[in-house]
Each structure stands twice: as C-alpha cells, then as structure tokens.
Amino acid sequence: GGPPFFGHLNGLDREASPERAEVLPYVVGRSSYVRPADAGDPFARPSFQDFRMGVDAKYLLTSNLTLDATINPDFGQVEVDPAVVNLSAFETYYEEKRPFFVEGQGMFSFGNFSCFFCSNVSSMNLFYSRRIGRSPQGADVAYDAGEYADVPENTAIVGAAKVTGRTTSGWSVGALEAVTARENATVLTGAGAELSQEVEPASNYVVARVRRDLLGGNLVLGGIATSVYRGIRSDALAAELPRHAESGGIDWTWWWHNRTYRFMGNLAVTNVVGDPAAILLRQESSARYFQRPDRKGGGNGLFSDAYDPSATALRGYGGYARLAKDGGNWRGEMSVNFRSPGFEPNDLAYASRADYVWMSANLNRQFTKPTRWYRRFDFIVGGQQELNYDGDLTSRQVQAWVGTQTPFYWWATAFIIHRPSYLDDRLTRGGPVVRRPANDYGYLDLETDSRRPVYVGLSVGRGWLQGAPYSVDASTYITVKPASNVQLSVGPSYSSETWPYQWVTRVDDATATAFYGTRYVFADMDQRTVSMDTRLNVIFSPTMSLELFAQPLISAARYSRFKEYDVPRSTRFDVYGVDVGEISVQDTDDGRVYTVDPDGAGPAASFEFDDPDFNFRSLRGNAVFRWEYRPGSTLYLVWTQSRSGSAAYGDFDFGRDQRALFANRPDNILLIKLTYWLGL
C-alpha cells in the first residue's frame, strides 16, 4: 500500500525557523581542448577558454511551497551522457541529470502507468525537461547556408523558475517557466563572406501541474498544461520548427475495497501550429509517417489525420486506462493505451510513436510467505497486442514471467516472449506496410544480496527468428563497497545480432509498381557491440567527495545480402544478385560503393549507395571533485574527456579497435565552478 499506510511522527519542535530565502551565485571558468573535425574549418579552435556567471535562488513561499529560480544556469558538473549506436529512425532518449530540473521532478510527472509485465510500450509523456536548453535545432540550416558554420553547442537558458509543493487546501502543485535565448550561427559562404543565421529562436516554455487527494487518498485527480512559444525570425527556421505548441491532460487513480482494486488512467490532447513546411515535417516524421502510400488516414474534423502538405496545424489525442486487482495473492489487470496519428507532444516532451492502440492483460500469483525454498515467489502469464488506426495488427505477443527471492536474499527472474508473425508499418520508413516473421525472446537475470560489500548482477537475453537464434546480449555489473565511504561499480556488456531487416536506403523507381514507385533496400546486418560502464564514488568527508564515470564502447556492423521486399504485407525478400538483378561493389577515393541493377535486363535503372559497414569506437568520461568549503557553498573541479573514431572494416576485432580508440586524439574540457551560499 505504500505511503497511505505509513505512521505519523508527532512532537517535533524546532529551536529556530530557517531562512526563508537563499541565494547561490556562481562563477565558472572553462578551458576546452577540442580536436577540429576539419582542419580547414576557420571556426575550429584547438583550444579556448571562457567565463560565465549566474545565480540560483530558493524562496520559501509557505511552509509547503517553494520557489526555485535560476539566471544563466550552468550544469558543467553533471555526468556526461553515455555513447550509443542508434541505427533506428527514432530519437535517442537520455535521462535528465541537471540539478535544477531533477529537484522536484516528481511534481511534474504525468501519465501514470503500471503493468505486471509489458514490453515495447510507453507511458503518456507531456514534459521532458531536456527539451529546454537543447542543442540548436536549426544547425542544418546553418550548414546548408555555407561552406563552414560556427554553431553554438547548446541553447542558453536565460532564466527559469518553478514553484513546487502543496497548498493548505490539499493541492499538490508544480509550475515551471523557462526562457531560452535566440542563438545565431556564423556562416562562411563559398565566396568568403560571413553571414549570421538563426539556428534556435528565443523560446518560452511553461508547464503547470496540479493533483488533489480525495477520499482519504483513495482517489487522486490531476491535470497538466504545457506551452511552447517560439519567436522565429528566419524563414528557413520557420520551415523546420512550429511557432507554438500546446498540450493538456487529466489523470486519475481510484482505489477501493481496502486498496485491493484500482482504476487508473489519463487523457491528453496536443496542438502544434506553424508554417506548412514545419507541419509537413511532423506529418512525415518517424512517429507517424502520414506519407505512407497505403495509409487510409483522413478526416476533416479537429483531429484530422490526413496527409496534407498545406496544413498549418497538427492535433491529436491519446490516453491510457487500467483496471486491476492489485491486492491479495491472486492479481490481474486489463489495460489499453492509445495515441492518435496526430498526437505530437515532442516540442516539450518525448514520444517516439503515435498511431496505435495497445491492449494488454496479465494474471499474477504471489507467494509472499517465506519458506525454506524462497522468501518470495511470483509468476505472471499474459499477452498484449497492438493495432494502428488503419486496423493493421502491428504487434502481438504472449509471455510468461517468473521471479523469486531466495532465502539468502538473492533475486532471480526469467521470462519468455513469443510473437507470431505481424505487420510492420514503420520498417520501410514511410513506405507500405510489410510483414515480420514470428520471433521469440528469452531472458534471465540474477542478482546477489545487495547488502553485502560485494554484490553482482548478471543478465542474459537470447532471441530467435523463425526458430533460429539471431541475437544474444549479456551484461553484468559488479559493485564493491570496500568501506562505507567508497563504492566502485563496473558493468561490462556484450551484444551480438544478425538482423535480416536492417534498413539501408530508398530509391525512386517508376518500375517498382508494387511499392508505389519506390524501392526500399534492406540488408542482413551482423553487429557486435561491447561496452563497460565504470563508476567510482569516494566520500572523503561529509563536505568532500569525488565521482568518476567512464564508458568505453566499440561497435562493428557488416551488411550483406542486399535485398528488397517481394510485395507489401509479405515476409518474402528478393536478394540482389541471387533472386533478382545484379549487384557489384567497387572501391573509390571516398570508400566502397555498391551498384545495383534491380532487374537485370529489365527496364529498371541502376542505382548506387555507399557501403554501410562501420566500426565505431568511443570513450566518454568525467571526474567531478566536490568540496563544500563552507555550509552551502561549493567548489567543483571537473575534467571531461571524450574520444571517438570510425572506420569501415565491418568486422569486430577487439584488439584492433581498442588500439585505434586510444590512438584517437581526445577532447578535454577542464572546468572550475565556485558557488557561494547566502541565507536571507
């Protein structure tokens, strides 16, 4: 039951009231040593130094309401993001780590979601704070405008403020507003002239969230509203970014029968307005693919899902509902999760997909009374499926899960998923629907007693495609606590996948009538990736600590058996040079190039594409020394290093790639940050 069943602690007295306000000015000096990507780039500086100032403030509005504000904030002491190899059409998600946005984050959460077991589904998301202060979104506009461009690394946050807490009438509130600066890039044209190009407009972000507990906490009602307004001045940027975007939603949780049963859910709408070119980009994005030639979408109402290049607005809706028995030894649930094709919250949230209706049901049995064999034992059986708004079955699975805690406090969990053949409306990236064959996935996870000075976790996953193994992934972590003030964690991982549906390219060809005048080229991809996350935390004293993070990553992929689907809604492929046409490869000064004649002596024209084989190596890390030299005042010393490189071997050779990684020249950033606390 959680907090509603916690006890109450009474009789506490304070000798004096704390200050109602605190101000934390800061000063930062940074020295960067960055390898130029292009030796001929006149804007590239092998080293440079900069300096900035700002202030954070906190004010206690009431005993339960707090105002946090920041002017020109700096987050140089935050841990770097890990490296990833993303070969999909979807954006990579990174967790928020900046202190101003992390503190009180729960007050802005929306989209309550719960399941005993589910996969490939996401909760409703209307606020993703990393949209604020992101890298300039119009960088491509600057690079297209000239031969070289000096683009700011991040969008400056001019100021931000938020109010979080609880009112005396029982409302939990969270309100945030942030203003980001207009960013311009200096562009050097081919004629040698310099011009200024807007790459990020001045923008205003607003989020307001409320919740209210009723019926003794058994009923929780809430609502949220968000807004993004951009002061766009450049026509080129107006063709890429909406001028304003809004979203709003309500959510609820209702418990009854002594908190045994629960009905929870949420509903939300989104509205995006901008120039037709900007709206068209969102219609054609990987989240919805309105341009798909076999799509039936349409409608003329408020939530029109028609592919319309002249549209100046995109609107959508989404929701989630779950009815469950969450108490007792036998538990069960039924859920539905849906997003209309026009649902688009990404100006201030994160959503990789729209256009789906997802359904799930699970049965769970708990054994919570300890025996000689276990302290706890659970199993789950269930299934889920998904359809798009055209009615195509785009996913279906059945699953079984089992988990136990042993008498000596180890955890062991395992599950198996079977997915029969289903349609895929995303694989061709805007082309017709195709079909994937049946596949299975199994997973095992073991964790030792985390209370011990040394504890270990191990997980292994295995995938089968049409009964044959195609992937394996394994990871482990070892955490060592040699003393109460020292913790070291090492997490190596390895994955190997032979994937026969890897996207390569698309080619216009009027003779490809089955696919509406376009050829969609795929390949078998054999990819191997190895990485290791390392963290070391040392607390020298209550006021002094050191945090270290490092992540080396090596990934290699080889593409072969280039091919295209035979017909839409089929699993059959025609392999170039085997089933149809001819394929050849040749070396050029810019690398290997494949030439394909898709139908041999037929009327189709030949086409070319670059060899997609790659080897990627990366090492990222940072060290943060923190000293609270007086109460509330802190000195940070930060060192960040990153090095990366790539080649086109395609095969995985750990020794060769490891040597090449450390042969790459690193980028180093040294930072010193000083804050001074003032209580008012």
Side-chain angles (χ1 to χ4, degrees):
F5 291 107
F6 290 179
H8 297 274
L9 184 61
N10 301 312
L12 297 180
D13 295 318
R14 294 181 303 187
E15 294 182 1
S17 298
E19 292 84 353
R20 294 184 62 87
E22 59 182 49
V23 178
L24 198 71
Y26 77 84
V27 59
V28 170
R30 184 177 65 167
S31 183
S32 299
Y33 304 88
V34 179
R35 174 187 54 179
D38 183 347
D41 188 347
F43 300 116
R45 292 174 290 175
S47 65
F48 66 93
Q49 292 72 41
D50 60 7
F51 166 85
R52 60 186 297 172
M53 301 174 63
V55 63
D56 299 329
K58 188 183 294 286
Y59 183 74
L60 198 62
L61 299 173
T62 70
S63 61
N64 291 320
L65 279 177
T66 303
L67 168 67
D68 291 275
T70 182
I71 298 174
N72 194 30
D74 175 83
F75 306 109
Q77 76 276 20
V78 173
E79 180 182 291
V80 296
D81 292 319
V84 296
V85 178
N86 184 354
L87 301 180
S88 75
F90 305 107
E91 174 189 10
T92 300
Y93 179 89
Y94 292 107
E95 292 185 359
E96 178 62 86
K97 301 176 182 178
R98 297 172 295 177
F100 177 82
F101 295 103
V102 170
E103 184 180 0
Q105 195 175 49
M107 288 291 184
F108 298 94
S109 64
F110 176 82
N112 47 3
F113 187 92
S114 178
C115 71
F116 299 149
F117 187 101
C118 51
S119 62
N120 298 327
V121 63
S122 61
S123 61
M124 181 72 71
N125 185 318
L126 295 183
F127 177 46
Y128 177 45
S129 55
R130 290 195 61 147
R131 298 299 188 203
I132 302 172
R134 73 180 89 180
S135 299
Q137 300 173 82
D140 62 311
V141 175
Y143 291 120
D144 290 343
E147 188 174 359
Y148 295 102
D150 186 13
V151 180
E153 184 179 353
N154 292 298
T155 302
I157 301 175
V158 177
K162 63 181 177 181
V163 175
T164 57
R166 188 178 178 90
T167 68
T168 55
S169 58
W171 288 94
S172 297
V173 300
L176 180 146
E177 181 169 14
V179 176
T180 58
R182 186 182 314 279
E183 298 289 356
N184 293 286
T186 302
V187 179
L188 182 67
T189 66
E194 286 192 0
L195 58 89
S196 180
Q197 173 62 54
E198 182 183 23
V199 291
E200 182 73 30
S203 304
N204 188 73
Y205 301 86
V206 176
V207 183
R209 175 77 163 116
V210 295
R211 279 195 300 265
R212 179 69 184 270
D213 292 358
L214 302 169
L215 303 179
N218 288 318
L219 177 62
V220 181
L221 301 177
I224 190 172
T226 75
S227 171
V228 178
Y229 178 82
R230 299 185 174 99
I232 301 175
R233 295 178 179 174
S234 162
D235 291 340
L237 205 56
E240 293 196 358
L241 299 178
R243 296 187 178 273
H244 63 87
E246 299 80 30
S247 70
I250 58 172
D251 60 349
W252 66 89
T253 300
W254 176 31
W255 292 89
W256 71 93
H257 201 276
N258 197 27
R259 301 182 73 84
T260 300
Y261 299 93
R262 178 166 55 160
F263 177 53
M264 61 188 297
N266 49 72
L267 293 170
V269 295
T270 62
N271 177 59
V272 180
V273 176
D275 291 4
I279 300 302
L280 183 62
L281 285 177
R282 276 136 191 84
Q283 291 184 12
E284 295 180 345
S285 75
S286 58
R288 49 193 59 84
Y289 290 135
F290 275 18
Q291 73 274 27
R292 207 177 71 233
D294 56 349
R295 183 173 174 269
K296 304 173 185 175
N300 299 311
L302 181 64
F303 299 108
S304 173
D305 296 326
Y307 181 54
D308 183 2
S310 65
T312 57
L314 181 66
R315 302 182 181 93
Y317 60 89
Y320 164 75
R322 175 179 181 262
L323 179 63
K325 180 179 183 291
D326 280 330
N329 292 326
W330 282 100
R331 304 191 303 164
E333 64 177 358
M334 295 184 297
S335 305
V336 62
N337 194 35
F338 57 92
R339 306 287 186 272
S340 77
F343 185 78
E344 172 58 306
N346 278 306
D347 289 274
L348 192 50
Y350 179 90
S352 61
R353 291 192 58 193
D355 190 9
Y356 67 84
V357 179
W358 175 89
M359 295 157 278
S360 172
N362 284 293
L363 180 66
N364 170 222
R365 176 65 164 98
Q366 300 183 115
F367 298 89
T368 57
K369 183 178 180 180
T371 71
R372 60 180 296 190
W373 304 105
Y374 58 80
R375 293 187 54 81
R376 179 190 179 100
F377 182 79
D378 292 73
F379 72 81
I380 300 169
V381 293
Q384 65 181 57
Q385 70 174 20
E386 182 180 284
L387 296 90
N388 62 20
Y389 271 62
D390 281 352
D392 297 323
L393 180 67
T394 53
S395 178
R396 175 174 286 170
Q397 74 179 46
V398 293
Q399 66 259 350
W401 178 95
V402 62
T404 184
Q405 186 183 37
T406 68
F408 41 92
Y409 293 92
W410 286 29
W411 282 98
T413 59
F415 66 80
I416 184 73
I417 296 174
H418 171 68
R419 297 186 180 97
S421 179
Y422 59 91
L423 297 173
D424 193 324
D425 57 355
R426 313 292 167 127
L427 195 61
T428 55
R429 303 192 181 188
V433 172
V434 292
R435 179 174 289 277
R436 294 201 193 199
N439 63 87
D440 302 276
Y441 184 77
Y443 179 84
L444 173 66
D445 180 79
L446 298 173
E447 299 178 14
T448 65
D449 186 354
S450 61
R451 302 172 303 168
R452 302 295 183 183
V454 178
Y455 61 95
V456 179
L458 172 66
S459 61
V460 179
R462 187 66 184 248
W464 295 266
L465 193 65
Q466 293 182 310
Y470 78 92
S471 72
V472 61
D473 51 89
S475 63
T476 184
Y477 67 85
I478 303 172
T479 300
V480 182
K481 296 181 287 185
S484 61
N485 64 324
V486 179
Q487 179 169 306
L488 172 65
S489 297
V490 179
S493 64
Y494 171 80
S495 66
S496 176
E497 180 180 49
T498 302
W499 182 240
Y501 299 95
Q502 182 57 42
W503 167 266
V504 177
T505 188
R506 69 164 59 90
V507 179
D508 292 335
D509 187 342
T511 67
T513 55
F515 281 87
Y516 304 89
T518 303
R519 296 188 183 276
Y520 302 91
V521 183
F522 293 85
D524 291 358
M525 181 187 68
D526 184 6
Q527 182 180 14
R528 298 183 183 182
T529 302
V530 62
S531 67
M532 184 169 69
D533 292 354
T534 303
R535 286 183 170 86
L536 173 65
N537 297 328
V538 182
I539 301 175
F540 301 105
S541 72
T543 60
M544 188 178 297
S545 64
L546 173 67
E547 296 181 3
L548 172 68
F549 169 77
Q551 185 223 34
L553 179 144
I554 297 174
S555 184
R558 170 160 289 172
Y559 290 68
S560 62
R561 286 173 50 84
F562 297 94
K563 53 195 172 181
E564 62 183 55
Y565 269 96
D566 183 9
V567 293
R569 298 177 180 266
S570 166
T571 60
R572 299 188 305 274
F573 277 108
D574 289 332
V575 179
Y576 299 134
V578 177
D579 302 313
V580 294
E582 299 174 352
I583 184 170
S584 61
V585 60
Q586 59 186 14
D587 293 320
T588 70
D589 293 339
D590 296 324
R592 302 211 313 168
V593 175
Y594 283 93
T595 301
V596 176
D597 184 344
D599 62 352
S606 299
F607 61 87
E608 295 181 347
F609 58 86
D610 294 334
D611 182 6
D613 291 355
F614 69 85
N615 292 66
F616 175 72
R617 314 122 177 172
S618 168
L619 174 61
R620 293 187 179 187
N622 66 341
V624 180
F625 175 79
R626 179 184 181 275
W627 174 36
E628 190 175 349
Y629 60 91
R630 65 183 299 271
S633 303
T634 307
L635 171 70
Y636 295 97
L637 300 176
V638 183
W639 171 40
T640 300
Q641 183 182 104
S642 63
R643 60 177 79 202
S644 63
S646 60
Y649 301 117
D651 63 317
F652 185 87
D653 185 326
F654 180 79
R656 178 197 62 205
D657 289 327
Q658 175 265 332
R659 290 189 297 271
L661 170 61
F662 286 98
N664 290 325
R665 178 182 169 184
D667 296 336
N668 289 286
I669 297 176
L670 303 176
L671 177 146
I672 181 170
K673 179 177 180 179
L674 185 71
T675 69
Y676 190 85
W677 183 87
L678 299 170
L680 305 176

